[in-house]
């Protein structure tokens, strides 16, 4: 089944403790992206990747890192999480950087930082 | 920059009622337009899309027409069901095609 898989689905952590949210897609998509969803704000892009070893900042990149060493994986790293990063996170992929194909989304990761 | 504005929610309807969720956009060039649906506890799913002016996207009884003259892409369904209860997001892919802009989402609740 073609899908984007995120892990974990739920995570509660403490301020300052480094964490990684994994994202993997099995569709050979070139483009991958991370979003955060907050009430009343819709989805805001954190980082995106046009292809392997090519990443760039989205609208809200502060406090996050990403890497794209392989085509299928695009992990999101929070080096020192803070409470304002409590949010619902989605990974998404698209066949090409031309987003006319639309996105396939993962099921989401609900992160709480206390 | 490019942006999407969609109808504030929440929207509550009775089963078999007619649905309209308004969406307007601001963009340079000719973006592609999308509607996504998010069911409780799940990620967003592509519902329909239109890639050029006057195109109509349709899926599962939902429709939306790309209106360049009014910069709109309103979502409609003739007869909603309880199973349509979800959050609906309007989105556009920017003309530089490196980003997708989403509206804030509209929560729809359909009561039996």
């Amino acid at each position: 089944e073609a899908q984007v898989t995120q892990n974990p689905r739920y995570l509660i952590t403490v301020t300052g403790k480094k964490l990684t949210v994994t994202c993997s897609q099995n569709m050979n998509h070139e483009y991958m992206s991370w979003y955060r969803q907050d009430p009343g704000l819709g989805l805001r892009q954190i980082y995106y990747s046009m292809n392997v070893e090519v990443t760039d900042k989205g609208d809200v990149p502060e406090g996050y890192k990403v890497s794209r060493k392989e085509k299928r994986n695009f992990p999101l790293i929070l080096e020192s999480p803070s409470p304002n990063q409590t949010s619902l996170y989605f990974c998404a992929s698209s066949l090409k950087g031309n987003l006319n194909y639309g996105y396939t989304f993962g099921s989401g990761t609900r992160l709480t930082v206390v | 920059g490019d942006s999407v504005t969609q109808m504030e929610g929440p929207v509550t309807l009775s089963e078999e009622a007619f649905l309209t969720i308004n969406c307007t956009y601001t963009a340079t060039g000719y973006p592609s337009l999308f509607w996504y649906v998010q069911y409780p506890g799940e990620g967003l799913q592509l519902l329909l899309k239109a890639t050029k002016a006057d195109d109509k996207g349709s899926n599962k009884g939902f429709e939306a027409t790309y209106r360049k003259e009014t910069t709109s892409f309103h979502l409609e369904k003739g007869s909603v069901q309880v199973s349509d209860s979800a959050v609906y997001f309007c989105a556009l892919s920017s003309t530089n095609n490196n980003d997708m802009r989403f509206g804030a989402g509209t929560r729809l609740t359909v009561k039996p």
Side-chain angles (χ1 to χ4, degrees), chain A residues 3-57:
Chain A
Q3 59 186 355
V4 176
T5 303
Q6 288 179 235
N7 281 297
R9 287 294 306 273
Y10 301 93
L11 179 59
I12 300 174
T13 191
V14 297
T15 299
K17 184 177 181 182
K18 181 179 178 180
L19 66 92
T20 299
V21 183
T22 63
C23 173
S24 180
Q25 51 92 6
N26 62 0
M27 297 166 283
N28 202 37
H29 283 178
E30 289 185 357
Y31 184 98
M32 297 185 75
S33 183
W34 277 102
Y35 286 86
R36 60 179 289 172
Q37 182 181 12
D38 300 291
L41 297 177
L43 278 80
R44 294 179 292 167
Q45 191 178 49
I46 302 170
Y47 270 94
Y48 66 93
S49 169
M50 296 288 284
N51 213 323
V52 176
E53 301 291 2
V54 180
T55 63
D56 210 343
K57 297 177 180 179

Side-chain angles (χ1 to χ4, degrees), chain B residues 5-24:
Chain B
T5 302
Q6 66 180 98
M7 172 177 175
E8 295 271 339
V11 174
T12 302
L13 296 173
S14 297
E15 206 164 23
E16 299 184 4
F18 185 86
L19 169 71
T20 300
I21 300 178
N22 290 338
C23 172
T24 57

Side-chain angles (χ1 to χ4, degrees), chain A residues 52-67:
Chain A
V52 176
E53 301 291 2
V54 180
T55 63
D56 210 343
K57 297 177 180 179
D59 294 324
V60 288
E62 295 77 20
Y64 304 95
K65 286 175 56 177
V66 293
S67 67

Side-chain angles (χ1 to χ4, degrees), chain B:
Chain B
D2 295 354
S3 66
V4 174
T5 302
Q6 66 180 98
M7 172 177 175
E8 295 271 339
V11 174
T12 302
L13 296 173
S14 297
E15 206 164 23
E16 299 184 4
F18 185 86
L19 169 71
T20 300
I21 300 178
N22 290 338
C23 172
T24 57
Y25 68 89
T26 302
T28 54
Y30 304 96
S32 294
L33 302 174
F34 305 83
W35 277 100
Y36 286 85
V37 58
Q38 183 180 30
Y39 298 104
E42 297 184 13
L44 282 73
Q45 302 173 25
L46 180 62
L47 180 60
L48 54 84
K49 69 175 185 179
T51 57
K52 60 182 188 297
D54 300 325
D55 268 4
K56 178 187 283 188
S58 61
N59 186 23
K60 299 181 181 180
F62 291 90
E63 293 183 341
T65 300
Y66 189 143
R67 302 284 189 202
K68 191 170 187 305
E69 64 277 13
T70 54
T71 63
S72 65
F73 193 55
H74 304 322
L75 182 68
E76 297 182 336
K77 186 175 185 182
S79 176
V80 293
Q81 306 300 312
V82 172
S83 57
D84 293 327
S85 298
V87 181
Y88 292 82
F89 292 90
C90 185
L92 66 80
S93 66
S94 298
T95 49
N96 66 5
N97 287 333
N98 288 337
D99 186 18
M100 189 169 289
R101 296 285 169 174
F102 289 85
T106 302
R107 181 177 299 278
L108 170 67
T109 301
V110 180
K111 298 190 171 180

